[in-house]
Amino acid sequence: MSPESDADGLVVWEVQRYEPFSRVWICKGYGRTTTDVDPVELGRAALAGHLARVPARGGETFRAVVRTGAGGSLTISPDDLRTHGSTVDPEVCQILPGYLRDALT
């Protein structure tokens, strides 16, 4: 396999919480997989699972940052979850780590 083909289907996601005092985003969860699932759906599922497990408190702000092996990057906010519904495709759910899968069930 060439390095280019290794990048095909690679998706790296990170759930982050904004720290207002230091004005930085802090990683609260991280994962990577090789899949043909839509990276947007994977990011939504990761963020939804994290928020189901540890709900935001007192003005906390969370987001999911998703990067693909092809160099693309996107950010998912909790507003995106409300806009697109809260159900997670079972195929996408199976890609998530167990603690996020459990939170979504």
Side-chain angles (χ1 to χ4, degrees):
M1 264 189 198
S2 69
E4 293 81 23
S5 64
D6 288 345
D8 290 345
L10 176 65
V11 180
V12 177
W13 56 264
E14 182 177 352
V15 176
Q16 302 174 340
R17 179 178 58 88
Y18 185 70
E19 173 55 58
F21 300 109
S22 58
R23 299 183 196 162
V24 297
W25 289 93
I26 299 170
C27 178
K28 301 307 275 181
Y30 175 84
R32 66 184 288 152
T33 188
T34 302
T35 182
D36 59 353
V37 168
D38 180 7
V40 173
E41 292 303 317
L42 185 57
R44 284 187 193 129
L47 182 58
H50 182 82
L51 292 174
R53 187 171 172 261
V54 182
R57 299 177 307 246
E60 288 182 323
T61 303
F62 285 88
R63 71 181 183 186
V65 177
V66 181
R67 295 176 184 87
T68 65
S73 178
L74 58 106
T75 302
I76 308 291
S77 73
D79 289 338
D80 295 324
L81 300 179
R82 288 186 280 279
T83 303
H84 293 91
S86 59
T87 59
V88 176
D89 183 317
E91 180 183 356
V92 175
C93 194
Q94 289 304 310
I95 295 169
L96 297 173
Y99 72 97
L100 293 178
R101 270 195 316 269
D102 292 345
L104 291 170
T105 58

